[in-house]
Amino acid sequence: YISSVQAMGTVLPNREILLKSKVSGEVVSLSSKFVQGGVIKKGRTLLTLEDSDYKIELQKAQSALDKAFSYLAIEKGSQMIAKEELKLINEASLGKVAATDLALRKPQLIQAKAEVDRARADLEKARLSLSRTKVIVPFNALVLERQVNIGSLVTVQGTLAILVDVDAYRVEALVPPDLLSALRISEKKGSEAVIHSQYSKQSWHGKVVRTTGQITSKSRMAGVIISVPDPLGLRSNEKKAQLLLNDHVDVRISGKTFENVFSLPRDLLRDGNTVWVYSSGVLEIKKVSLAWKESTRVFIKSGIRSGDAVITSDLPAPVEGMTLQLSPGDR
């Protein structure tokens, strides 16, 4: 028998971001799917900002780099001339002039190289700023909120949208802490879970990947996180209902496998984990050990044997050894 845990849960985003602009500018175009509830694939352009100023800055940065390279080439030539001049002077004065860094124009060459590095960095920054006028979707996303329109003026760190990753959602379910031991909690091999929504007959499958690490203060229940891949059915060939965020769902989690156990309706488990058995016309009260309990059934690992006649009737004052009589047709 495979044990299971029934729980209630809430559907939450596995990854949600507040998308902001890294540059400022006027919104000049929007994706047709950039609407509330729209789904946009990773790498697609969400919106475009007016880029004329950034193209000008890129051109200026390129000109500054060309100028720095020109200055570096001139300085390299000047250094070669300085070496030759110093060589001629030493030949004429029998080597009395020292070959100092200043005489060989080494500081000037270092400065020219630094100017090239700075100009190259400025050019890279200008290219980066220009590329950021196109806002790219970082993952397969559901648009929860859109906060700009055509003509909107966006500032640096201005909010553009709220996006949710649709590759996976998470369901946060609450289970009794004493049942956690029956679950496999693992990112790769977690217990399988089936999720049902009250609004749809559709079911979704996921796995228990981790716990929330805490017990709720009011209900004293433990939280577990269930990862649900492809909650919108985008990778499925079949038309499926979408799992909706913030929906309250029923969850059935598969637990450990139990062998050689007896399954009984839960109301046949009497006080003190005992079972009433009809034995040769008298009542026998047997103490049992439980392997697992569910809402409607219990699973007993020891205390009763195959062939025992378990009493389903209620007895007003059960006493060990009391005489019993079977009603006609009862078994």
Side-chain angles (χ1 to χ4, degrees):
Y1 172 79
I2 299 177
S3 62
S4 65
V5 177
Q6 294 289 134
M8 292 291 294
T10 304
V11 182
L12 300 170
N14 194 44
R15 179 166 50 160
E16 177 180 343
I17 65 169
L18 190 66
L19 188 65
K20 296 186 176 183
S21 177
K22 293 184 178 180
V23 295
S24 60
E26 179 184 351
V27 178
V28 294
S29 70
L30 296 172
S31 168
S32 60
K33 295 185 178 180
F34 186 23
V35 292
Q36 186 176 20
V39 177
I40 306 178
K41 291 184 178 181
K42 178 180 179 180
R44 297 291 177 87
T45 300
L46 190 68
L47 62 86
T48 303
L49 302 178
E50 210 283 323
D51 61 1
S52 298
D53 291 342
Y54 297 99
K55 287 181 177 179
I56 293 172
E57 291 299 321
L58 178 62
Q59 186 176 1
K60 290 169 63 176
Q62 183 63 62
S63 297
L65 180 60
D66 293 341
K67 183 178 179 180
F69 273 125
S70 176
Y71 178 72
L72 177 61
I74 292 172
E75 189 53 49
K76 286 181 177 180
S78 298
Q79 188 180 56
M80 291 178 63
I81 293 173
K83 288 181 180 179
E84 291 298 324
E85 288 178 346
L86 184 61
K87 180 179 179 182
L88 293 174
I89 292 172
N90 280 330
E91 288 176 353
S93 60
L94 302 177
K96 294 181 179 180
V97 179
T100 63
D101 288 348
L102 189 58
L104 296 176
R105 299 185 64 86
K106 288 185 177 181
Q108 291 88 333
L109 183 63
I110 293 174
Q111 182 180 5
K113 290 181 178 179
E115 287 295 329
V116 169
D117 291 340
R118 185 176 69 175
R120 186 181 282 117
D122 289 343
L123 178 62
E124 186 60 32
K125 182 179 179 181
R127 285 174 177 164
L128 189 60
S129 295
L130 179 60
S131 69
R132 286 172 173 171
T133 59
K134 288 187 176 182
V135 179
I136 306 301
V137 181
F139 45 71
N140 295 325
L142 169 70
V143 180
L144 283 189
E145 292 185 20
R146 189 183 88 179
Q147 301 191 7
V148 293
N149 285 295
I150 297 289
S152 296
L153 292 176
V154 177
T155 60
V156 177
Q157 293 301 309
T159 301
L160 305 175
I162 299 178
L163 303 180
V164 167
D165 189 347
V166 296
D167 287 337
Y169 284 173
R170 62 186 173 94
V171 173
E172 187 171 322
L174 297 177
V175 301
D178 59 332
L179 300 184
L180 285 178
S181 60
L183 306 181
R184 296 189 310 275
I185 301 173
S186 169
E187 292 285 345
K188 294 183 178 180
K189 298 182 179 181
S191 293
E192 294 184 0
V194 180
I195 296 96
H196 295 277
S197 173
Q198 297 177 359
Y199 82 91
S200 170
K201 295 182 180 179
Q202 180 68 49
S203 62
W204 297 266
H205 296 267
K207 63 180 180 180
V208 180
V209 293
R210 58 187 178 276
T211 69
T212 60
Q214 60 182 352
I215 292 178
T216 57
S217 58
K218 293 183 178 180
S219 62
R220 308 306 295 170
M221 301 283 274
V224 296
I225 303 299
I226 300 165
S227 177
V228 184
D230 193 25
L232 305 187
L234 301 178
R235 298 194 297 268
S236 174
N237 294 327
E238 301 178 5
K239 188 175 181 180
K240 300 173 65 176
Q242 296 184 350
L243 187 61
L244 299 181
L245 292 170
N246 298 320
D247 187 16
H248 296 288
V249 293
D250 297 314
V251 182
R252 185 179 181 89
I253 307 172
S254 298
K256 291 181 178 179
T257 299
F258 296 101
E259 297 180 353
N260 301 320
V261 294
F262 296 100
S263 172
L264 293 178
R266 186 158 182 163
D267 58 1
L268 298 189
L269 183 67
R270 312 297 179 173
D271 293 340
N273 284 350
T274 58
V275 171
W276 298 344
V277 174
Y278 178 83
S279 178
S280 301
V282 299
L283 171 65
E284 186 177 354
I285 301 177
K286 291 190 173 183
K287 181 78 172 179
V288 296
S289 296
L290 300 181
W292 186 250
K293 290 192 296 184
E294 293 183 358
S295 57
T296 60
R297 303 196 69 79
V298 293
F299 299 89
I300 299 172
K301 61 182 178 180
S302 64
I304 57 176
R305 299 188 302 270
S306 179
D308 282 348
V310 177
I311 298 172
T312 60
S313 304
D314 287 330
L315 302 178
V319 177
E320 176 79 19
M322 68 183 296
T323 302
L324 300 176
Q325 183 177 357
L326 292 178
S327 298
D330 283 352
R331 293 292 181 268

